[in-house]
Amino acid sequence: MCISARGTEAKHIPVMPSHTWQLICPNSTCNCRPVLHAALEVETLWHDYEAQTTPESHLVKDFDKLEMIIQAHEYEQAQGLQLQQFFDTTKDKFKTQTGQAWAQELVARRQKAAVAPTTAAGEGSTAPAALQQAAAASQAGS
């Protein structure tokens, strides 16, 4: 077994026997062991994420949910949509303090943006800067 340190715990990654390497890499100049070793490590980390067995896996899962509601908020701002269902499905689902704090911050910003008048571009707009620039360029070209 090969041991790879991750934070305070060790991950055990199986090491393939030499004859297996010879079957995979028959060319003696082939140097694929590091690549395959990395692939095994990624697979191990993926299983940790799926099983939610480590603090790191909880944080990554929280980031996944955060990314979803950030994207929903951006779509709401850019497209004028109402995507409350995405926020409802993640409410009280964050396991880490970091995830909870960031989700609360996003919800507060979303509520603040809902109260403020929004326009496609210009003063008072809560649309992302790139969207504001594109709208301004479009108006200038008209």
Side-chain angles (χ1 to χ4, degrees):
M1 291 296 233
C2 179
I3 299 177
S4 171
R6 287 270 174 239
T8 58
E9 59 187 280
K11 306 281 184 199
H12 296 282
I13 301 166
V15 176
M16 290 186 202
S18 292
H19 68 276
T20 305
W21 288 114
Q22 290 168 359
L23 289 172
I24 295 170
C25 303
N27 182 349
S28 62
T29 62
C30 177
N31 189 16
C32 42
R33 284 184 188 209
V35 172
L36 292 173
H37 179 71
L40 289 172
E41 185 171 7
V42 168
E43 182 182 21
T44 300
L45 293 171
W46 176 257
H47 288 297
D48 285 350
Y49 169 79
E50 287 290 309
Q52 290 290 285
T53 56
T54 63
E56 294 87 357
S57 66
H58 291 281
L59 184 61
V60 172
K61 188 69 143 185
D62 279 359
F63 286 163
D64 190 33
K65 287 181 266 195
L66 281 165
E67 190 275 332
M68 180 183 70
I69 61 174
I70 288 169
Q71 190 172 32
H73 178 60
E74 288 175 351
Y75 283 148
E76 285 180 329
Q77 295 298 298
Q79 305 292 326
L81 301 173
Q82 195 54 252
L83 301 173
Q84 181 62 40
Q85 66 271 23
F86 290 97
F87 294 88
D88 292 343
T89 60
T90 59
K91 186 176 174 153
D92 300 324
K93 302 286 186 197
F94 294 93
K95 293 182 179 181
T96 65
Q97 289 180 349
T98 301
Q100 292 165 1
W102 287 13
Q104 288 172 355
E105 175 66 23
L106 178 62
V107 168
R109 289 183 184 200
R110 181 175 178 250
Q111 290 170 344
K112 183 178 178 183
V115 172
T118 60
T119 60
E123 190 115 1
S125 176
T126 58
L131 185 62
Q132 291 177 21
Q133 291 171 352
S138 170
Q139 289 175 352
S142 306

